[in-house]
Amino acid sequence: MTLLQTARDFWAQRTSRERLMLQGLAIVLGALLFWYGVLTPLNTARAWARDERLAAAADLAAVKTLARAGTTRAAQPDGRGLAGVVDTAAAASGITIERRREEGDGRLTVWITAVQPRILMQWIDGLRTTHGVSVVGLTADKADDRSLTVEVSFERAGS
């Protein structure tokens, strides 16, 4: 005897009142599975996405604030070139520069393959406030592990 035939026999042996009760139970179980198996995970995912969006908006506001705060302290005369200052500050911040290109107009462009947004902003702010180095261009793409792939162009303030 197959499982399907066993189920049919079981159903046939039930009275109409028992069948009605089992149908009601099936409806309640289906509703519970839908609620806890579909709606609750979707609501959790929606709340997580909202929190991530708010965190990203806060990061964007911080970046815009840094961009608007164009004032810099006077550059510390240390005799190093722009590349030396950027490299030293990157190493101190734990940032690995993958590639760099020095432009003829005194600009330096660097490529970083993986950096956390907060570390990047602290590094850029430190360069601006301590060494008088300005960001003249920045392109960032999100990597898989919540880090960024970044291309940044720098120049000395007043250049």
Side-chain angles (χ1 to χ4, degrees):
M1 200 183 284
T2 66
L3 182 62
L4 185 58
Q5 185 60 39
T6 304
R8 284 184 185 153
D9 290 343
F10 174 80
W11 191 256
Q13 293 172 359
R14 301 295 132 219
T15 65
S16 62
R17 183 175 180 187
E18 288 173 328
R19 288 180 191 167
L20 184 62
M21 181 189 67
L22 289 173
Q23 289 170 345
L25 179 63
I27 290 171
V28 169
L29 283 175
L32 284 172
L33 285 174
F34 180 73
W35 183 266
Y36 288 108
V38 176
L39 291 181
T40 299
L42 285 176
N43 283 335
T44 302
R46 183 176 54 94
W48 176 83
R50 182 185 62 239
D51 293 344
E52 287 294 312
R53 186 189 62 77
L54 291 174
D59 287 345
L60 177 62
V63 169
K64 286 183 177 180
T65 300
L66 285 174
R68 276 190 232 114
T71 60
T72 60
R73 296 182 204 157
Q76 302 294 325
D78 55 9
R80 292 181 292 172
L82 180 59
V85 169
V86 170
D87 288 344
T88 303
S93 297
I95 296 173
T96 303
I97 295 175
E98 297 296 325
R99 192 170 64 128
R100 70 186 45 74
R101 179 179 66 217
E102 293 191 48
E103 308 288 339
D105 58 358
R107 292 184 178 182
L108 173 70
T109 301
V110 297
W111 286 264
I112 304 164
T113 56
V115 63
Q116 296 297 316
R118 181 167 284 133
I119 293 172
L120 175 69
M121 291 301 117
Q122 290 171 348
W123 175 57
I124 290 173
D125 188 49
L127 284 170
R128 180 183 62 83
T129 58
T130 306
H131 302 287
V133 175
S134 300
V135 173
V136 293
L138 187 141
T139 303
D141 293 315
K142 184 179 178 188
D144 294 335
D145 59 349
R146 293 185 151 202
S147 64
L148 299 175
T149 300
V150 182
E151 176 185 341
V152 189
S153 296
F154 298 102
E155 71 179 6
R156 289 266 190 187
S159 293

